[in-house]
């Protein structure tokens, strides 16, 4: 009986230790685009894991609703991430954080020959230029503390050619180049940078791209080996792993979360 009790206690204790590796209690996290979609899913998971979360987005009404749903561990800042000249002041106002998740996004569904220079630059500014500016400014504070985790959001569009999203594909591919340079420069200072590549996740942006194109939606589903679309929380769990003690030796990773779609044809 004593031996059985020892085994139960040992298993319980080690299970607790294992689960604590995925906790981020007391850490502060900033999530851009946190008012809906992937950002909201990541915020929800982070809060469940013990973090204090600050969500950023352009739509204050949407942010307020999200904050009410997420609870007292969440606060928000209404801010357009493409206002590059105002980013340093925003970061100083927020102060040091442990985790930055660059999740703000936009979508442009057009054939390449119909995309204007201005439209192309708008998408690049949201997905690349603002990501660099935010990462740079928060990294300054992380360097002072000698630690930090930055999560970039790419896409499986960075791995394959898809029609009518030339600006988005270019931007999400550029994120990989940004990661490489940040890893080389910031990792010796205690900052880890990793990238998640979501597949087709059930979000408002996904519906905007597919609800008026049922044939495209059917084609997408056919190429997903698991035959299902993902949930925002699926990306949240990946981000939690990369930001938690469980992922402390993971740096410079490119993690597809796509049910195998990038491996199938």
């Amino acid at each position: 009986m004593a031996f059985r009790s020892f085994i139960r206690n040992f298993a319980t204790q080690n299970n607790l230790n294992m689960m604590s590796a995925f906790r981020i209690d007391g850490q502060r996290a900033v999530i851009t685009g946190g008012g809906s979609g992937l950002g909201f899913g990541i915020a929800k998971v982070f809060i469940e894991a013990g973090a204090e979360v600050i969500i950023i987005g352009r739509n204050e009404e949407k942010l307020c609703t999200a904050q009410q749903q997420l609870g007292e561990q969440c606060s928000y800042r209404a801010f357009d991430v493409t206002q590059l000249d105002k980013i340093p002041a925003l970061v100083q106002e927020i102060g040091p954080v442990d985790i930055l998740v660059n999740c703000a996004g936009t979508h442009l569904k057009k054939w390449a020959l119909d995309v204007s220079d201005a439209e192309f630059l708008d998408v690049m500014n949201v997905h690349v230029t603002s990501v660099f500016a935010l990462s740079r400014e928060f990294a300054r504070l992380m360097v002072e503390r000698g630690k930090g985790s930055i999560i970039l959001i790419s896409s499986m569009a960075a791995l394959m050619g898809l029609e009518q999203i030339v600006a988005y594909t270019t931007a999400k591919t550029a994120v990989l180049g940004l990661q490489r340079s940040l890893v080389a420069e910031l990792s010796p200072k205690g900052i880890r940078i990793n990238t998640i590549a979501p597949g087709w996740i059930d979000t408002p942006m996904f519906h905007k791209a597919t609800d008026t194109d049922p044939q495209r939606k059917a084609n997408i589903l056919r190429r997903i080996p698991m035959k299902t679309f993902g949930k925002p929380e699926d990306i949240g769990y990946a981000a939690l792993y990369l930001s938690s003690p469980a992922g402390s030796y993971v740096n410079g990773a490119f993690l597809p979360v796509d049910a195998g779609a990038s491996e199938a044809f």
Side-chain angles (χ1 to χ4, degrees):
M1 292 293 292
F3 178 73
R4 289 181 181 176
S5 178
F6 169 77
I7 292 297
R8 277 199 304 271
N9 291 337
F10 179 83
T12 300
Q13 184 62 43
N14 279 273
N15 183 57
L16 289 173
N17 289 340
M18 179 186 72
M19 295 309 296
S20 68
F22 293 89
R23 298 291 302 179
I24 49 175
D25 296 280
Q27 295 195 36
R28 299 184 79 217
V30 164
I31 302 171
T32 66
S36 63
L38 298 183
F40 182 86
I42 295 170
K44 181 180 178 183
V45 170
F46 276 19
I47 287 171
E48 289 173 352
E52 172 196 344
V53 171
I54 302 157
I55 55 175
I56 294 175
R58 290 181 295 186
N59 188 322
E60 185 163 8
E61 183 179 352
K62 185 183 295 183
L63 290 170
C64 184
T65 300
Q67 188 274 328
Q68 291 171 354
Q69 293 173 336
L70 293 168
E72 62 183 18
Q73 285 174 245
C74 176
S75 60
Y76 70 83
R77 302 290 192 282
F79 184 81
D80 183 346
V81 296
T82 62
Q83 294 182 311
L84 303 176
D85 59 329
K86 297 181 180 179
I87 285 178
L90 172 73
V91 173
Q92 289 302 314
E93 177 202 335
I94 292 173
V97 300
D98 302 282
I99 305 163
L100 168 65
V101 183
N102 292 286
C103 199
T106 187
H107 193 76
L108 177 68
K109 184 183 175 185
K110 272 191 173 184
W111 296 103
L113 298 184
D114 297 324
V115 175
S116 70
D117 294 342
E119 289 172 327
F120 189 89
L121 287 172
D122 283 344
V123 174
M124 292 293 290
N125 280 335
V126 172
H127 289 280
V128 183
T129 313
S130 72
V131 171
F132 168 66
L134 283 160
S135 298
R136 179 193 64 214
E137 295 304 316
F138 276 112
R140 295 186 197 277
L141 304 181
M142 291 177 178
V143 166
E144 293 177 1
R145 305 169 78 198
K147 62 178 182 177
S149 171
I150 297 174
I151 304 291
L152 310 180
I153 303 296
S154 180
S155 167
M156 57 185 301
L159 302 174
M160 61 187 69
L162 301 170
E163 295 179 341
Q164 300 186 68
I165 54 169
V166 63
Y168 182 83
T169 297
T170 304
K172 290 306 188 183
T173 305
V175 165
L176 298 181
L178 176 59
Q179 173 177 278
R180 293 188 188 104
S181 288
L182 293 181
V183 166
E185 294 189 20
L186 298 180
S187 296
K189 303 179 187 298
I191 303 170
R192 295 184 300 111
I193 302 94
N194 293 289
T195 297
I196 298 171
W200 285 288
I201 310 298
D202 190 359
T203 65
M205 186 180 294
F206 172 74
H207 284 285
K208 183 179 179 181
T210 61
D211 282 356
T212 59
D213 193 346
Q215 185 58 52
R216 184 183 189 190
K217 192 171 186 177
N219 291 340
I220 290 170
L221 192 60
R222 272 198 295 272
R223 72 170 301 153
I224 301 174
M226 291 175 64
K227 303 304 178 189
T228 185
F229 301 119
K231 303 182 297 296
E233 289 82 359
D234 294 324
I235 308 305
Y237 294 128
L240 175 61
Y241 164 63
L242 293 172
S243 299
S244 70
S248 62
Y249 200 62
V250 181
N251 187 34
F254 178 81
L255 177 60
V257 183
D258 63 3
S262 57
E263 297 295 322
F265 182 78

